[in-house]
Amino acid sequence: MPAAPWRGAALLLCCACLCAALGKLTPAVCSRCGSHRPTSLVSVCFSFCTEQRGCILGEVGKPVLLPCHPNLGRLSNFSVEWRNHDEAVFRSLWDGDGNVETWSVNYARIPTDAAATGNFSLELPSPSFQTYPNLFTCAYSKRSQNHLKSLTFVSFVVVAASFRIPEVRKEESSYLCRSWGGYPQPVVYWLIDDSRQPPDGAVTTRAQALPDSHLYNVTSRLTVNVSKDDTVSSQITFKWFRRKNEKKRK
Ligand SMILES: *[C@@H]1O[C@H](CO)[C@@H](O)[C@H](O)[C@H]1NC(C)=O
Ligand SMILES: *[C@@H]1O[C@H](CO)[C@@H](O)[C@H](O)[C@H]1NC(C)=O
Ligand SMILES: *[C@@H]1O[C@H](CO)[C@@H](O)[C@H](O)[C@H]1NC(C)=O
Ligand SMILES: *[C@@H]1O[C@H](CO)[C@@H](O)[C@H](O)[C@H]1NC(C)=O
């Protein structure tokens, strides 16, 4: 396969994109125990995820379309390859006579008229997301006079499922935050009086993978003595995202 020459460029681009994406995709607070304004995790967390930024928000178990439609002009003797990180998920090779040879993983596909339209958008019918974040690249390469011309496009796919609006309970000297049905694995942050982080060892969080799905339940307990005037708040976010504090009264 003519994949090798792209590889270095694709990986380099992956890195650049990942850094850019990590910088840009700083979500706001996602869900909060005891929030009076219940918000959907997905819509809040991913308000920074837009197609213009090369970011596609997928949903666990639902088809996702990764755009790739470079303006390439007349096409013959060319190939297209999609990768998730460095693992190929789709490859098509067209010869000069318009014949096509296609290889794919898990029914990933591009439009059948891709050679005519130049639309190489990849559809993943039922994505299985083993790595997180997913970083897809669409690489095109053209053979002419014994050399390969290659271009790489990067799509960045975030896959998530919304956690249910969390429940918070105050017990004697502890606070309990619980939610369920979300993906990927969450982390729970607590804040005392909107500014102080709890002391070391005061928080125990358990995320439990639900059987037969990618989803998680999460339970977090904060054990701390706070004065009556202090507020206690918590937020559920994803492991991979950076933390962002946001003020909110309880
Ligand atoms: C396509 O590639 C074949 C084999 O490499 C070559 O013989 C042919 O001339 C090429 N056709 C075009 C249109 O470049
Ligand atoms: C590319 O193909 C996909 C799948 O058929 C379609 O949804 C999308 O609108 C197409 N994009 C363009 C720019 O034509
Ligand atoms: C996950 O949480 C839901 C709602 O509280 C509960 O019904 C379910 O039993 C929990 N599942 C596991 C495996 O803890
Ligand atoms: C909270 O205060 C009580 C009574 O002063 C004390 O027994 C307990 O150890 C304290 N708990 C924590 C987590 O500091």
Side-chain angles (χ1 to χ4, degrees), residues 37 75 78 100 111 117 157 167 172 182-183 185 193 204 206 216 225-226 237 240 247:
R37 233 177 343 113
L75 296 172
F78 73 105
V100 58
T117 62
V157 180
E167 295 166 358
E172 274 184 25
Y183 173 88
Q185 188 167 351
D193 211 16
T204 43
R206 202 163 64 103
Y216 288 92
N225 285 331
V226 293
T237 185
W240 172 73
K247 310 262 184 273

mmCIF file of all heavy atoms in Angstrom, residues 37 75 78 100 111 117 157 167 172 182-183 185 193 204 206 216 225-226 237 240 247:
data_model
loop_
_atom_site.group_PDB
_atom_site.id
_atom_site.type_symbol
_atom_site.label_atom_id
_atom_site.label_comp_id
_atom_site.label_asym_id
_atom_site.label_seq_id
_atom_site.Cartn_x
_atom_site.Cartn_y
_atom_site.Cartn_z
ATOM 1 N N ARG A 37 -29.770 24.994 38.056
ATOM 2 C CA ARG A 37 -29.956 25.140 36.630
ATOM 3 C C ARG A 37 -29.376 23.907 35.955
ATOM 4 O O ARG A 37 -28.265 23.930 35.481
ATOM 5 C CB ARG A 37 -29.186 26.362 36.157
ATOM 6 C CG ARG A 37 -30.023 27.344 35.374
ATOM 7 C CD ARG A 37 -29.230 28.582 34.972
ATOM 8 N NE ARG A 37 -27.988 28.799 35.687
ATOM 9 C CZ ARG A 37 -26.792 28.725 35.110
ATOM 10 N NH1 ARG A 37 -26.669 28.436 33.857
ATOM 11 N NH2 ARG A 37 -25.719 28.963 35.829
ATOM 12 N N LEU A 75 -9.412 13.482 -10.699
ATOM 13 C CA LEU A 75 -8.758 12.435 -9.939
ATOM 14 C C LEU A 75 -8.603 11.159 -10.752
ATOM 15 O O LEU A 75 -9.555 10.666 -11.337
ATOM 16 C CB LEU A 75 -9.573 12.112 -8.677
ATOM 17 C CG LEU A 75 -9.687 13.238 -7.657
ATOM 18 C CD1 LEU A 75 -10.662 12.861 -6.576
ATOM 19 C CD2 LEU A 75 -8.332 13.554 -7.067
ATOM 20 N N PHE A 78 -5.207 7.421 -7.604
ATOM 21 C CA PHE A 78 -5.015 8.047 -6.295
ATOM 22 C C PHE A 78 -5.582 7.155 -5.196
ATOM 23 O O PHE A 78 -6.311 6.196 -5.466
ATOM 24 C CB PHE A 78 -5.667 9.431 -6.243
ATOM 25 C CG PHE A 78 -7.168 9.400 -6.171
ATOM 26 C CD1 PHE A 78 -7.818 9.674 -4.971
ATOM 27 C CD2 PHE A 78 -7.924 9.076 -7.279
ATOM 28 C CE1 PHE A 78 -9.191 9.636 -4.890
ATOM 29 C CE2 PHE A 78 -9.309 9.034 -7.206
ATOM 30 C CZ PHE A 78 -9.943 9.317 -6.015
ATOM 31 N N VAL A 100 -11.767 0.625 -8.362
ATOM 32 C CA VAL A 100 -11.474 0.968 -6.967
ATOM 33 C C VAL A 100 -11.319 -0.283 -6.118
ATOM 34 O O VAL A 100 -12.018 -1.279 -6.303
ATOM 35 C CB VAL A 100 -12.577 1.904 -6.390
ATOM 36 C CG1 VAL A 100 -13.946 1.264 -6.470
ATOM 37 C CG2 VAL A 100 -12.268 2.298 -4.950
ATOM 38 N N PRO A 111 -18.578 8.000 0.656
ATOM 39 C CA PRO A 111 -19.601 7.940 -0.392
ATOM 40 C C PRO A 111 -19.111 7.152 -1.606
ATOM 41 O O PRO A 111 -17.933 7.215 -1.956
ATOM 42 C CB PRO A 111 -19.829 9.414 -0.751
ATOM 43 C CG PRO A 111 -19.414 10.181 0.454
ATOM 44 C CD PRO A 111 -18.290 9.396 1.063
ATOM 45 N N THR A 117 -16.851 13.193 -6.857
ATOM 46 C CA THR A 117 -17.195 14.408 -6.108
ATOM 47 C C THR A 117 -16.047 14.942 -5.258
ATOM 48 O O THR A 117 -16.074 16.089 -4.830
ATOM 49 C CB THR A 117 -18.372 14.143 -5.149
ATOM 50 O OG1 THR A 117 -17.956 13.145 -4.205
ATOM 51 C CG2 THR A 117 -19.602 13.636 -5.889
ATOM 52 N N VAL A 157 -12.377 13.886 16.704
ATOM 53 C CA VAL A 157 -13.695 13.416 17.124
ATOM 54 C C VAL A 157 -13.768 13.257 18.625
ATOM 55 O O VAL A 157 -12.956 12.554 19.221
ATOM 56 C CB VAL A 157 -14.045 12.074 16.466
ATOM 57 C CG1 VAL A 157 -15.410 11.603 16.904
ATOM 58 C CG2 VAL A 157 -14.021 12.229 14.965
ATOM 59 N N GLU A 167 -27.213 14.047 41.500
ATOM 60 C CA GLU A 167 -27.896 14.223 42.789
ATOM 61 C C GLU A 167 -26.838 14.583 43.812
ATOM 62 O O GLU A 167 -25.759 14.025 43.803
ATOM 63 C CB GLU A 167 -28.479 12.882 43.260
ATOM 64 C CG GLU A 167 -29.566 12.328 42.394
ATOM 65 C CD GLU A 167 -29.827 10.848 42.735
ATOM 66 O OE1 GLU A 167 -29.125 10.294 43.613
ATOM 67 O OE2 GLU A 167 -30.713 10.277 42.093
ATOM 68 N N GLU A 172 -23.960 13.705 57.442
ATOM 69 C CA GLU A 172 -23.477 14.389 58.648
ATOM 70 C C GLU A 172 -22.296 15.322 58.396
ATOM 71 O O GLU A 172 -22.427 16.528 58.495
ATOM 72 C CB GLU A 172 -23.157 13.374 59.726
ATOM 73 C CG GLU A 172 -24.432 13.054 60.500
ATOM 74 C CD GLU A 172 -24.182 12.115 61.652
ATOM 75 O OE1 GLU A 172 -23.029 12.080 62.141
ATOM 76 O OE2 GLU A 172 -25.120 11.418 62.057
ATOM 77 N N GLY A 182 -22.978 8.244 31.838
ATOM 78 C CA GLY A 182 -22.149 9.125 31.028
ATOM 79 C C GLY A 182 -20.940 8.414 30.434
ATOM 80 O O GLY A 182 -20.585 7.302 30.826
ATOM 81 N N TYR A 183 -20.318 9.088 29.503
ATOM 82 C CA TYR A 183 -19.103 8.584 28.891
ATOM 83 C C TYR A 183 -18.324 9.789 28.371
ATOM 84 O O TYR A 183 -18.952 10.716 27.853
ATOM 85 C CB TYR A 183 -19.425 7.645 27.724
ATOM 86 C CG TYR A 183 -18.206 7.216 26.949
ATOM 87 C CD1 TYR A 183 -17.490 6.082 27.337
ATOM 88 C CD2 TYR A 183 -17.746 7.961 25.863
ATOM 89 C CE1 TYR A 183 -16.361 5.699 26.651
ATOM 90 C CE2 TYR A 183 -16.609 7.582 25.176
ATOM 91 C CZ TYR A 183 -15.926 6.458 25.573
ATOM 92 O OH TYR A 183 -14.797 6.089 24.895
ATOM 93 N N GLN A 185 -15.022 8.262 31.020
ATOM 94 C CA GLN A 185 -14.852 8.215 32.473
ATOM 95 C C GLN A 185 -14.762 9.631 33.056
ATOM 96 O O GLN A 185 -13.970 10.438 32.601
ATOM 97 C CB GLN A 185 -13.586 7.435 32.816
ATOM 98 C CG GLN A 185 -13.450 7.192 34.297
ATOM 99 C CD GLN A 185 -12.373 6.170 34.606
ATOM 100 O OE1 GLN A 185 -11.847 5.522 33.712
ATOM 101 N NE2 GLN A 185 -12.046 6.027 35.856
ATOM 102 N N ASP A 193 -16.598 26.963 49.388
ATOM 103 C CA ASP A 193 -16.722 28.417 49.357
ATOM 104 C C ASP A 193 -16.269 28.983 48.016
ATOM 105 O O ASP A 193 -15.677 30.063 47.953
ATOM 106 C CB ASP A 193 -15.893 29.030 50.502
ATOM 107 C CG ASP A 193 -16.539 30.314 50.992
ATOM 108 O OD1 ASP A 193 -17.732 30.529 50.674
ATOM 109 O OD2 ASP A 193 -15.847 31.095 51.666
ATOM 110 N N THR A 204 -13.308 11.045 47.906
ATOM 111 C CA THR A 204 -13.172 9.727 47.288
ATOM 112 C C THR A 204 -14.184 9.638 46.157
ATOM 113 O O THR A 204 -15.370 9.893 46.353
ATOM 114 C CB THR A 204 -13.438 8.577 48.289
ATOM 115 O OG1 THR A 204 -14.582 8.915 49.063
ATOM 116 C CG2 THR A 204 -12.265 8.325 49.185
ATOM 117 N N ARG A 206 -15.550 7.304 42.875
ATOM 118 C CA ARG A 206 -15.527 5.993 42.245
ATOM 119 C C ARG A 206 -16.350 6.061 40.964
ATOM 120 O O ARG A 206 -17.518 6.440 40.990
ATOM 121 C CB ARG A 206 -16.123 4.941 43.181
ATOM 122 C CG ARG A 206 -15.670 3.530 42.868
ATOM 123 C CD ARG A 206 -15.945 2.651 44.062
ATOM 124 N NE ARG A 206 -17.387 2.573 44.311
ATOM 125 C CZ ARG A 206 -18.121 1.513 43.968
ATOM 126 N NH1 ARG A 206 -17.582 0.474 43.401
ATOM 127 N NH2 ARG A 206 -19.422 1.515 44.219
ATOM 128 N N TYR A 216 -20.632 5.060 32.306
ATOM 129 C CA TYR A 216 -20.142 5.026 33.692
ATOM 130 C C TYR A 216 -21.173 5.559 34.674
ATOM 131 O O TYR A 216 -21.938 6.471 34.342
ATOM 132 C CB TYR A 216 -18.897 5.905 33.840
ATOM 133 C CG TYR A 216 -17.666 5.335 33.196
ATOM 134 C CD1 TYR A 216 -17.355 5.667 31.888
ATOM 135 C CD2 TYR A 216 -16.824 4.482 33.894
ATOM 136 C CE1 TYR A 216 -16.212 5.139 31.287
ATOM 137 C CE2 TYR A 216 -15.688 3.962 33.303
ATOM 138 C CZ TYR A 216 -15.388 4.298 31.998
ATOM 139 O OH TYR A 216 -14.272 3.786 31.410
ATOM 140 N N ASN A 225 -15.251 19.108 57.327
ATOM 141 C CA ASN A 225 -16.029 19.965 58.216
ATOM 142 C C ASN A 225 -16.025 21.371 57.643
ATOM 143 O O ASN A 225 -14.983 21.978 57.518
ATOM 144 C CB ASN A 225 -15.372 20.017 59.613
ATOM 145 C CG ASN A 225 -15.608 18.728 60.386
ATOM 146 O OD1 ASN A 225 -16.620 18.046 60.181
ATOM 147 N ND2 ASN A 225 -14.674 18.388 61.259
ATOM 148 N N VAL A 226 -17.171 21.861 57.283
ATOM 149 C CA VAL A 226 -17.216 23.236 56.788
ATOM 150 C C VAL A 226 -18.140 24.037 57.699
ATOM 151 O O VAL A 226 -19.047 23.486 58.327
ATOM 152 C CB VAL A 226 -17.737 23.316 55.333
ATOM 153 C CG1 VAL A 226 -16.759 22.666 54.382
ATOM 154 C CG2 VAL A 226 -19.109 22.687 55.189
ATOM 155 N N THR A 237 -16.704 16.386 35.270
ATOM 156 C CA THR A 237 -16.142 16.659 33.956
ATOM 157 C C THR A 237 -15.425 15.399 33.486
ATOM 158 O O THR A 237 -15.511 14.361 34.124
ATOM 159 C CB THR A 237 -15.230 17.910 34.004
ATOM 160 O OG1 THR A 237 -14.803 18.212 32.682
ATOM 161 C CG2 THR A 237 -14.027 17.705 34.887
ATOM 162 N N TRP A 240 -10.111 13.716 30.575
ATOM 163 C CA TRP A 240 -9.206 14.230 29.573
ATOM 164 C C TRP A 240 -9.212 15.757 29.493
ATOM 165 O O TRP A 240 -8.241 16.371 29.094
ATOM 166 C CB TRP A 240 -9.612 13.614 28.239
ATOM 167 C CG TRP A 240 -8.905 14.186 27.112
ATOM 168 C CD1 TRP A 240 -7.594 13.974 26.794
ATOM 169 C CD2 TRP A 240 -9.438 15.081 26.165
ATOM 170 N NE1 TRP A 240 -7.293 14.682 25.678
ATOM 171 C CE2 TRP A 240 -8.410 15.373 25.283
ATOM 172 C CE3 TRP A 240 -10.674 15.648 25.977
ATOM 173 C CZ2 TRP A 240 -8.587 16.224 24.211
ATOM 174 C CZ3 TRP A 240 -10.855 16.497 24.917
ATOM 175 C CH2 TRP A 240 -9.824 16.777 24.047
ATOM 176 N N LYS A 247 -17.685 29.931 39.374
ATOM 177 C CA LYS A 247 -18.323 30.258 40.648
ATOM 178 C C LYS A 247 -19.820 30.019 40.600
ATOM 179 O O LYS A 247 -20.471 30.288 39.627
ATOM 180 C CB LYS A 247 -18.083 31.727 40.968
ATOM 181 C CG LYS A 247 -16.637 32.145 40.863
ATOM 182 C CD LYS A 247 -15.965 32.165 42.199
ATOM 183 C CE LYS A 247 -14.537 32.663 42.125
ATOM 184 N NZ LYS A 247 -13.615 31.586 41.832
#
